[in-house]
Structure formats: structure tokens, C-alpha cells
Amino acid sequence: MSNKKNFMLFATSALLLPYVAAAPAEGAGFSDTIDDSQEEAIHALLQAGIIKDYSDGTFRPDQPLTRADVIMIMGKWLETLDFQIPHDYKSKPRFSDLTFSSHDELLQYAAMLKDYGIIIGSPDGNLNPQERMTRENTAIVLGRAYHAIHNIDFTSYIRNQDFKSTVADHGQAKAEARPFIDILDYFNIIDPSAPYFQPKEVITQGQLASFLAKSAAVTIENEELLMDKVLFAGNSYFAYADGKATSASFRAPAGMAISQDGSLLIVDSENHLIRKVRNEEVTTFAGMTLEIDDSGLPLGGLYDGDKDRSFFQSPTGIAVDAEGNVFIADRLNHAIRKIGIDGQVSTIAGNGLVGNEDGTGEDARFHSPQSIVIDKNGTLYVADTLNHVIRKITVDGNVTTLNTPSNRIVQITPGVVEWAGDFQDGLLEDAKFNEPSGLAIDSKGNLFVSDSGNQLIRYIDFAENTVSTIAGKYAAPKPGLLYTIGNLMDGPADNAAFNFPKGLSYSETHGLLIADSVNKSVRSFKDGKVRTIANGFKNPVSITTDSNGNVFIADNEDNRIYQLTFERGTEK
């Protein structure tokens, strides 16, 4: 998705200029909207091809809308802003009650809105397309769309303003909808002269047209950290192809690192390969596959040797040392691999078996390690995710565990239990994590940790020998749940909220950048505050920064790599 801020500021808007600058053309009115306050909005949307009139010369502004109606109108609106219809919308319907034979436009726009996090659906995975759409649910969908368009978390922004809602029946809306109704109220998208929003009423065609046309008001002048995403590599197909960067294909790209020559190395997880981007070309740096499974997907393996003939198994994390050696967290081989500067792959810890053992070389055991970083002395740190611990590997290959493993057992269903992570700050040896999945190292050699299952960012201070929570507020998981329930909230770090934060990147310029995977966004932690600086992703899992301050995001579900560029402020 390209940047749309100029559109919303009227600079290039073919859609909104008729609404803000001109009355409808003479004779262009509908028989049922004469003197209607929504007339200009309707004509603006009609001119843009977002809505259609009826053959009898009416528009029917009072027509109640279903969820399907709203999705198709919203989808066409977002398409004018260059939001993309997913190529697999028909072969992979996004909701359980849609099939490949469903209405084609509904399939297209339901997939688009689902992938951008605008429509979620019901807990059972259904869309319920024929259910009538309430005004409060419309407010939620509009608010999420504004987040995706502007790369700004408007709910957090408005929460931090000196603003009090003027909507008289605000309390009648469900709690989830109230922050989004505040967005509409703050930007006068709701008629300022009407004190009631009527959240439980069904949205009408004329009301939605008015809301969309007024959406140009939704923008803020923010001189702080704001970024825009630009496609760097990948064509979104779940496939394998080298070549021109934006035409190349990946399967669930994960960890990234900058090599000594400035190339971007990418762990192509489900292709079981390490890929390289240099001079706008993608090549395969290491690994190979020979067999495919019953679904036609490549199979990985564990084999050392020349990097062009080696095998990996769903690798995830990657790090590069000062000499140019590359280290891989080979997740489903439960091992740490090394690609030497001589082009040879070796296994430095683990041997393909699941376990939780310290030791040297193949005597060590891991369980699905996801992230790896290296300090200036050559010491490796590993997020050993399903062991819920942080491991240390010295230059001579000795593996030790830094914190206490969890002993929390969760009963998922009657008779079915699972070993889960836990939480504890304090001394490093006593600390506990819940599926740590991201690591970054700061200038002092200390570690930031994405404590994904606890929805927190933690910090390991080696000088003090402590672990502390630096962003997010811990809440114990509810009975029967493996994880704390995630959320999205910017602001002071001790009150911020995340939803399965994963990849981390630290620099003095940007502070700590966080790939907040389920929130489909990039967050920053700096000066004691958390901000959402980019969103509209599908599942961002990894983030890295090069020596020039360029920031790259691996979108695991979109099969693409994005580069983030600063839009405003002194960070350009």
C-alpha cells in the first residue's frame, strides 16, 4: 500500500474535491435526495465509482446496509487509495461462510479488508454477510481503516488529547466501539449538531456515504516519528523465485540481517533457505530443497557442508558477526547453524532433537529457537522460544541457560495439558518468560526481549544481573489460556499494550523498533513512550536497521519485505 496522506489532505483527491469544493452539477440530483444533506457526499462517491444509483433515478439513502454491503462499498473506497485486492481472494476465502463460488466482489473486498485488519469477523470465523451492519460496528471498521490509511493509531492519539465526547448516547455503545466513535466525533464525521449517535441502529446507505466523504478530515500534523512503508522485495505469492526484487517470491520470510557488503539477508522460512537482496536482485544465499510434501511444498532437512548444498528446516532467526560469519536459529531442527565466510555450513549447537539441555555442540538441546543476536565479543544469545528461556553460546560453543525455565502447566481442554511460559522480573537467574521470540542488543551489550506470550518488552541488564519490564503491563493469563490477552495502546511505556510482539531492532537514532505481529504494526519505544509508527501489514515478524538508518520489515503472511521511510520531522 502506498502512502495516502496527501489524498486525505485534498492534494490529489478526485473523489473528495466535488464534495469540498463544488455543488452537484445541475440536474444531477436523485429524486429521493432533493435537499438531502448527504447529496454532495453521494455525488462525490458516485463520481469515483464507489457507489451506484438505481435505474429508476433514486439513490435510496435510507436503505439499511448489510455487512456485505458495507464491505463492498468500503473496499471500493479503499481501492481508490491503492489498497490491493489479494491475488488469492478466490482460492482462499478469508471467512468460513464464504466459498470460491460466493459473490466475486464480496470475496475480493472481504479478503482485502481482512488482510489489512479492517474486518475481523466473528469468533467462529464467519463473516455473516447478510447480517445488518450497526452504526457502532461501522465506526469500528472506519476507525481501523483510518489506522491502515494513515499509519497512525488514532484511538491512542485521541485518548491523549484534551477531548471529551459530545455524543449523548456514547455509553450505550459496546465498549469495543466507544474509542472508534470518539474518532468520528473528534473529526466531526458525526454531525456535530446531532447529539445522538444511535450505535445500535443499522447504518444506512446515505449515512455511510456521508461518513466516507467526510473522512478527509481524519489526519493529524504529527512532527514526531512517522514512517511510510515502501515495497522492497517480494510479489506476495507464497512461492519461490529469484530475480528482480519486487518480482521475487518468498514463503513466510522471517528473520533479517545486514551482511558485511550491505546486502539484506532474509530467512525464507518455509522455503528452508537463506535469501539475499542486493542491487534490487534476489538470489539464494544458502540452502537447497529436493523434495516436496503432499501439498506440493518444499521439505527441509539437516545437512552441513557447502552452503549451496546444505539443508535447513524452517529457519527463523539470523545474525552476522564482525567477520561476516552468518548464524541461523534453525527452528525446526532445534539447532544453531553457522555459515562461515568460507561458504561452509556447520551446526554449532544442537543436533535436530527437541530438548532443554546445556552443553557443548551436539550435546546441547533447544526447542524451536526463533531469534539470535551476537555481541561485539562474538557471544551469541538465543531466544529458545518453546523452552521459554534465553540461551548463551560462547565463542567456544558452550551453551548455558540464563534464566529459570517455566513450570506452569495449563489445561487446554479436559484431559489435555500443555507446558506454558510464565512471568517474573528480578534477578536474571530467577526471571521467567513466556515464548520469547525476538532479541535486540544495545550499545551496552544488554538485551531487549520480545516476551511474546506475556505481551511485553523485557530488558536484560548484564551489569546488574536483572530482568525488568520496560514496556507493557503484565496481566496473568486467564485460566485455560497459554498467553496473556494482547491489545493495542500507545503512550507511556508502563501502560502500553502489544499483541504478540516479535522482531526487534535497536539503534541510537530510532530507539527500539518492534514488529507487533498481531497488531499488524511497527511500534517504537523511545524516551519512555510507545508509539505506533507504521501499520497496514498482515503479520510483521522481523525488523532490522542498516548502517544508514534504513529500516526493513519482513511481513511473514504477505510474503514481502518492506522498507520504512520517515515522512516527517527531523528523522528524514
Side-chain angles (χ1 to χ4, degrees):
M1 184 186 69
S2 58
N3 179 34
K4 296 300 167 296
K5 296 183 182 68
N6 287 339
F7 178 98
M8 305 308 283
L9 289 169
F10 310 112
T12 60
S13 172
L15 165 59
L16 293 176
L17 281 175
Y19 175 64
V20 299
E26 186 177 354
F30 299 105
S31 61
D32 57 350
T33 62
I34 296 173
D35 297 326
D36 195 294
S37 61
Q38 299 158 351
E39 180 89 14
E40 295 178 33
I42 290 167
H43 276 279
L45 299 175
L46 183 67
Q47 181 178 337
I50 294 169
I51 58 175
K52 296 180 180 178
D53 57 348
Y54 293 87
S55 58
D56 61 1
T58 63
F59 176 69
R60 305 177 195 174
D62 296 327
Q63 176 77 30
L65 299 180
T66 64
R67 290 172 62 84
D69 294 330
V70 171
I71 285 169
M72 288 190 284
I73 292 172
M74 289 277 295
K76 291 175 183 177
W77 173 57
L78 292 169
E79 201 171 16
T80 67
L81 306 180
D82 290 345
F83 280 64
Q84 300 298 309
I85 295 171
H87 64 84
D88 60 350
Y89 75 88
K90 196 165 192 131
S91 62
K92 185 184 173 184
R94 301 308 196 259
F95 298 94
S96 303
D97 51 355
L98 296 183
T99 70
F100 70 91
S101 60
S102 298
H103 187 281
D104 198 63
E105 279 195 348
L106 178 58
L107 282 174
Q108 291 181 40
Y109 296 123
M112 175 200 285
L113 269 62
K114 178 68 161 61
D115 288 359
Y116 280 100
I118 297 169
I119 289 283
I120 304 300
S122 57
D124 59 6
N126 288 333
L127 177 62
N128 303 312
Q130 298 311 312
E131 184 180 292
R132 290 194 170 184
M133 187 78 160
T134 61
R135 286 169 60 86
E136 63 182 352
N137 284 338
T138 303
I140 293 171
V141 171
L142 279 169
R144 290 176 182 155
Y146 299 152
H147 293 350
I149 291 167
H150 293 283
N151 294 339
I152 296 169
D153 176 10
F154 282 103
T155 52
S156 294
Y157 172 77
I158 291 171
R159 189 183 299 115
N160 293 326
Q161 305 306 304
D162 184 14
F163 168 73
K164 185 175 181 180
S165 175
T166 59
V167 175
D169 53 359
H170 187 274
Q172 295 178 20
K174 58 185 178 182
E176 179 190 7
R178 291 171 196 166
F180 295 100
I181 293 172
D182 286 344
I183 295 174
L184 303 187
D185 187 21
Y186 183 86
F187 290 106
N188 290 329
I189 290 172
I190 301 171
D191 184 354
S193 64
Y196 294 96
F197 182 67
Q198 299 177 308
K200 307 299 182 185
E201 295 295 316
V202 177
I203 190 77
T204 67
Q205 193 155 228
Q207 290 166 356
L208 182 59
S210 179
F211 285 171
L212 293 182
K214 290 180 178 179
S215 293
V218 182
T219 188
I220 58 175
E221 291 300 326
N222 183 358
E223 293 302 325
E224 297 185 43
L225 196 62
L226 285 180
M227 305 179 87
D228 184 38
K229 67 177 189 180
V230 177
L231 179 62
F232 184 75
N235 60 10
S236 86
Y237 288 97
F238 186 71
Y240 166 72
D242 283 339
K244 188 178 187 311
T246 54
S247 300
S249 299
F250 300 88
R251 284 189 171 101
M256 298 179 296
I258 306 299
S259 67
Q260 277 196 321
D261 66 0
S263 302
L264 180 67
L265 297 178
I266 302 164
V267 178
D268 192 2
S269 181
E270 295 310 306
N271 276 322
H272 315 291
L273 303 172
I274 312 303
R275 312 286 290 281
K276 178 178 179 177
V277 186
R278 182 167 177 78
N279 297 327
E280 301 183 359
E281 290 287 327
V282 173
T283 56
T284 298
F285 177 74
M288 65 179 298
T289 57
L290 293 177
E291 298 183 9
I292 59 173
D293 63 16
D294 293 339
S295 301
L297 298 178
L299 292 170
L302 176 58
Y303 187 76
D304 289 340
D306 186 87
K307 70 183 182 67
D308 296 328
R309 294 179 176 84
S310 59
F311 288 86
F312 301 89
Q313 179 81 348
S314 296
T316 306
I318 186 169
V320 179
D321 71 10
E323 296 178 354
N325 298 297
V326 178
F327 297 87
I328 305 294
D330 198 359
R331 183 171 61 94
L332 292 189
N333 277 326
H334 314 289
I336 306 304
R337 315 285 294 281
K338 175 183 176 181
I339 307 171
I341 55 176
D342 60 358
Q344 296 297 301
V345 175
S346 58
T347 301
I348 64 170
N351 68 355
L353 299 178
V354 173
N356 188 8
E357 299 288 340
D358 288 342
T360 301
E362 65 179 17
D363 293 333
R365 295 287 187 273
F366 300 84
H367 192 349
S368 306
Q370 286 196 30
S371 183
I372 186 168
V373 293
I374 188 165
D375 70 12
K376 62 184 178 180
N377 299 315
T379 301
L380 291 167
Y381 296 97
V382 180
D384 193 3
T385 303
L386 293 188
N387 278 325
H388 311 290
V389 296
I390 309 301
R391 315 290 290 278
K392 175 182 176 179
I393 306 177
T394 60
V395 291
D396 58 0
N398 187 47
V399 178
T400 55
T401 301
L402 300 183
N403 64 287
T404 296
S406 169
N407 57 8
R408 185 169 72 97
I409 302 295
V410 174
Q411 180 173 278
I412 306 299
T413 58
V416 178
V417 298
E418 189 165 333
W419 180 38
D422 210 335
F423 169 82
Q424 185 168 319
D425 277 340
L427 291 176
L428 175 56
E429 56 265 32
D430 298 328
K432 294 181 180 180
F433 297 89
N434 190 347
E435 296 195 10
S437 61
L439 298 175
I441 196 161
D442 68 9
S443 56
K444 299 176 182 178
N446 294 324
L447 287 181
F448 297 99
V449 182
S450 275
D451 193 3
S452 297
N454 284 323
Q455 318 296 355
L456 301 172
I457 306 300
R458 314 279 292 281
Y459 185 70
I460 299 176
D461 188 320
F462 290 114
E464 298 293 329
N465 192 42
T466 58
V467 174
S468 59
T469 298
I470 60 168
K473 181 187 295 183
Y474 176 69
K478 294 182 179 180
L481 295 182
L482 297 173
Y483 315 113
T484 295
I485 295 174
N487 207 333
L488 173 64
M489 185 174 294
D490 286 344
D494 59 0
N495 198 45
F498 304 90
N499 205 347
F500 288 90
K502 291 195 173 181
L504 301 175
S505 177
Y506 176 80
S507 69
E508 294 293 337
T509 301
H510 303 319
L512 185 69
L513 298 180
I514 304 155
D516 195 3
S517 66
V518 177
N519 278 328
K520 306 176 187 295
S521 62
V522 175
R523 319 283 293 281
S524 77
F525 167 71
K526 191 175 183 182
D527 301 327
K529 292 183 179 180
V530 173
R531 301 179 180 90
T532 299
I533 61 172
N535 55 27
F537 300 94
K538 291 184 180 179
N539 185 29
V541 297
S542 177
I543 186 165
T544 195
T545 307
D546 69 14
S547 59
N548 296 318
N550 298 307
V551 178
F552 301 92
I553 294 288
D555 194 335
N556 182 265
E557 191 174 325
D558 197 24
N559 303 303
R560 285 173 165 170
I561 309 301
Y562 291 94
Q563 181 176 349
L564 301 186
T565 58
F566 286 91
E567 279 294 301
R568 297 187 181 129
T570 60
E571 301 279 358
K572 283 187 177 180

